[in-house]
C-alpha cells in the first residue's frame, strides 16, 4: 500500500495541467481505480484484517484527493501569475467614453414653446391623433366641399363594411384639441395644443407627418391687439431677439374671422437668415379671431365670449432657430446631424446660423 501511495503522490506532483490530474484521479480513486479495487478486496478479508486495511485505504483515498485538490489550486495560481506577468493593464487610464443620448430638436423646441406660453398662462391640452371628421372639419367650420377634405390631402381611416360610424382621419391639425378643450372646460380658456399631425405631402419643407402647436384664448374682451402682443412676446422669447417685428396680412381660414398670416422681418446675408432685421419678410404662422360658428360647435356662446387662435409649425420653427435646411432631416436615421447642429443630452442649444437659400 505504501508503494501505491508513493506512485500516485509522485504522479500528482508531476502533473502539468488539470487534464492530467483528472486522469490520475480516475486511475487512483475512480470507480475502477486501483484504490477502489483494493477496497473491494476487504470483503474477502477476516474481520481482524479489515480493521487494519480499511482505515489505511480510506486514509490513502483522502490523501490522494487532497493532493489532487492542492495541485489543481497550485496550477490555477500559476496560470494567474503567468497572465499577470504577460498581460498588462494600466488601471489609472481613463475609461472609454460612452456616447451620450441625444435630445431631438422637435422635443427640444416643443419644450421651449410650452415653457414660453406657460409663462403667459397657457395650459397644455392634448387629444387623439385619429379624429372623426366632426372634430377635424365640421366643428371648425370647414365646409364639405373644402379641398382639404379630399383624399389627396387627408389620410382617411379604412372603415369595414357595415360600420356606420362617421369617417375618421389622421388629424390634419391640432385644432380639434381646441374644440375638445372648450367642450370639456367651457370659457374662459387659454390653452396650447402641441402634437403630431398628418397630411399627404412630401418635399423639402413638407412631410406626411409633422408637428404643430395651436393656441386658443377665449374670454370676454379679447381682441386682435391681444393676439398681436402674445405672438410678439412669444417670438422675442423663442428666437432670443429683442427687436422683433411682425407683419399681419389679411388671409382666410374657415375657423377664424378675421384671419391673418403672420410674417417676421428678416434678411439674408451670405446665404444666412437673420431674424429681426433687414427688408425681407418670412411667413411663420397663421392666426385670427375664432369664428362664431366654431364657438357654437364647442358649446360656447359667441354673444358672450370671443377670442383668438393661432397655429405654428414646430418643425419649421426648429429649422429657423437652429439652421436646419431640410425638414426631412428630422426623420433621418443617421443622428450625427444632431450633433452637427449642437444637440446633446442635458444641453440646451443656442441660437445659431440660419437656413441656406
Amino acid at each position: 500500500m505504501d508503494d501505491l501511495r508513493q506512485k500516485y503522490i509522485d504522479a500528482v506532483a508531476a502533473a502539468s495541467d488539470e487534464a492530467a490530474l483528472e486522469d490520475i484521479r480516475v486511475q487512483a480513486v475512480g470507480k475502477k481505480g486501483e484504490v477502489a479495487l483494493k477496497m473491494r478486496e476487504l470483503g474477502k478479508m477476516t474481520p481482524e484484517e479489515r480493521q487494519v486495511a480499511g482505515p489505511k485505504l480510506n486514509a490513502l483515498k483522502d490523501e490522494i484527493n487532497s493532493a489532487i485538490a492542492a495541485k489543481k489550486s497550485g496550477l490555477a495560481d500559476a496560470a494567474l501569475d503567468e497572465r499577470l506577468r504577460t498581460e498588462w493593464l494600466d488601471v489609472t487610464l481613463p475609461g472609454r467614453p460612452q456616447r451620450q443620448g441625444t435630445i431631438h430638436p422637435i422635443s427640444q423646441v416643443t419644450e421651449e414653446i410650452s415653457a414660453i406660453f406657460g409663462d403667459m398662462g397657457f395650459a397644455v391640452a392634448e387629444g387623439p391623433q385619429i379624429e372623426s371628421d366632426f372634430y377635424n372639419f365640421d366643428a371648425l367650420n370647414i365646409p364639405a366641399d373644402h379641398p382639404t377634405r379630399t383624399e389627396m390631402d387627408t389620410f382617411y381611416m379604412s372603415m369595414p363594411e357595415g360600420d356606420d360610424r362617421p369617417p375618421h382621419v389622421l388629424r390634419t391639425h391640432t385644432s380639434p384639441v381646441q374644440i375638445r378643450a372648450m367642450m370639456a372646460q367651457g370659457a374662459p380658456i387659454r390653452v396650447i395644443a402641441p402634437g403630431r399631425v398628418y397630411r399627404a405631402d412630401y418635399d423639402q419643407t413638407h412631410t406626411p407627418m409633422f408637428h404643430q402647436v395651436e393656441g386658443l384664448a377665449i374670454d370676454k374682451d379679447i381682441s386682435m391687439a391681444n393676439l398681436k402682443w402674445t405672438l410678439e412676446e412669444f417670438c422675442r422669447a423663442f428666437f432670443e431677439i429683442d427687436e422683433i417685428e411682425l407683419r399681419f396680412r389679411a388671409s382666410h381660414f374657415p375657423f377664424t374671422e378675421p384671419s391673418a398670416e403672420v410674417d417676421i422681418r428678416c434678411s439674408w446675408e451670405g446665404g444666412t437668415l437673420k431674424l429681426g432685421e433687414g427688408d425681407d419678410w418670412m411667413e411663420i404662422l397663421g392666426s385670427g379671431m375664432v369664428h362664431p360658428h366654431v364657438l357654437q360647435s364647442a358649446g360656447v356662446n359667441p354673444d358672450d365670449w370671443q377670442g383668438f387662435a393661432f397655429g405654428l409649425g414646430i418643425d419649421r420653427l426648429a429649422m429657423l432657430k437652429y439652421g436646419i435646411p431640410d425638414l426631412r432631416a428630422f426623420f433621418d436615421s443617421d443622428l450625427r446631424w444632431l450633433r452637427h447642429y449642437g444637440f446633446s443630452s442635458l444641453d440646451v442649444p443656442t441660437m445659431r446660423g440660419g437656413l441656406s437659400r
Side-chain angles (χ1 to χ4, degrees), residues 57 80 221:
L57 286 172
L80 178 59
D221 299 312

Side-chain angles (χ1 to χ4, degrees), residues 111-132:
E111 291 175 4
E112 293 179 24
I113 292 171
S114 299
I116 293 169
F117 281 112
D119 288 341
M120 295 189 216
F122 285 79
V124 175
E126 296 181 337
Q129 296 180 44
I130 298 177
E131 280 286 12
S132 71

Side-chain angles (χ1 to χ4, degrees), residues 231-298:
L231 295 179
E232 287 177 345
E233 288 300 304
F234 166 75
C235 289
R236 287 191 183 97
F238 180 75
F239 293 113
E240 303 173 35
I241 300 173
D242 291 332
E243 298 301 322
I244 284 289
E245 184 177 352
L246 300 182
R247 180 178 68 178
F248 287 68
R249 290 182 291 107
S251 185
H252 170 72
F253 304 113
F255 29 81
T256 52
E257 180 60 38
S259 303
E261 300 277 6
V262 180
D263 305 331
I264 189 169
R265 183 179 288 280
C266 63
S267 68
W268 293 93
E269 292 184 9
T272 298
L273 174 66
K274 292 187 177 181
L275 301 177
E277 60 183 63
D279 298 323
D280 292 330
W281 296 91
M282 174 176 288
E283 177 189 328
I284 57 171
L285 61 96
S287 65
M289 299 298 292
V290 180
H291 198 289
H293 290 174
V294 175
L295 295 176
Q296 288 177 334
S297 297

Side-chain angles (χ1 to χ4, degrees), residues 38 47 59 144 151 165 182 199 211 223 244 247 252 276 291-292 311 327 333 344 350 354:
K38 289 287 185 182
E151 293 185 357
R165 292 178 301 169
M182 284 191 286
R199 296 180 190 174
H211 303 79
S223 68
I244 284 289
R247 180 178 68 178
H252 170 72
H291 198 289
L327 182 62
S333 59
S344 62
T350 57

Side-chain angles (χ1 to χ4, degrees), residues 4-179:
L4 191 61
R5 173 188 176 280
Q6 193 62 46
K7 171 185 174 181
Y8 285 110
I9 293 300
D10 291 343
V12 169
S16 59
D17 53 42
E18 291 191 14
L21 284 175
E22 180 62 16
D23 290 340
I24 294 170
R25 187 195 67 79
V26 171
Q27 294 172 16
V29 297
K31 291 183 178 180
K32 297 182 180 181
E34 289 192 68
V35 175
L37 293 176
K38 289 287 185 182
M39 297 187 79
R40 291 178 187 176
E41 295 176 0
L42 292 174
K44 300 176 183 180
M45 297 180 182
T46 64
E48 293 77 9
E49 291 173 332
R50 281 199 299 273
Q51 287 180 352
V52 176
K56 289 185 177 181
L57 286 172
N58 283 326
L60 176 59
K61 180 180 178 181
D62 292 342
E63 186 177 2
I64 293 173
N65 282 330
S66 296
I68 291 173
K71 183 65 175 182
K72 186 179 292 187
S73 178
L75 290 173
D77 290 342
L80 178 59
D81 290 340
E82 179 64 17
R83 285 188 62 188
L84 293 175
R85 186 181 65 82
T86 58
E87 296 180 9
W88 181 80
L89 177 65
D90 186 352
V91 296
T92 66
L93 288 175
R96 292 186 178 90
Q98 297 292 321
R99 181 170 292 173
Q100 293 180 323
T102 302
I103 187 170
H104 197 279
I106 298 301
S107 300
Q108 172 69 51
V109 171
T110 301
E111 291 175 4
E112 293 179 24
I113 292 171
S114 299
I116 293 169
F117 281 112
D119 288 341
M120 295 189 216
F122 285 79
V124 175
E126 296 181 337
Q129 296 180 44
I130 298 177
E131 280 286 12
S132 71
D133 61 353
F134 170 77
Y135 288 104
N136 198 78
F137 296 120
D138 295 338
L140 293 163
N141 199 39
I142 299 176
D145 59 352
H146 196 278
T148 60
R149 300 183 75 148
T150 67
E151 293 185 357
M152 293 293 292
D153 292 316
T154 299
F155 294 104
Y156 281 83
M157 307 302 294
S158 176
M159 305 287 282
E161 291 187 14
D163 191 337
D164 57 357
R165 292 178 301 169
H168 280 66
V169 301
L170 294 179
R171 66 183 183 190
T172 58
H173 42 194
T174 57
S175 297
V177 180
Q178 299 178 1
I179 300 296

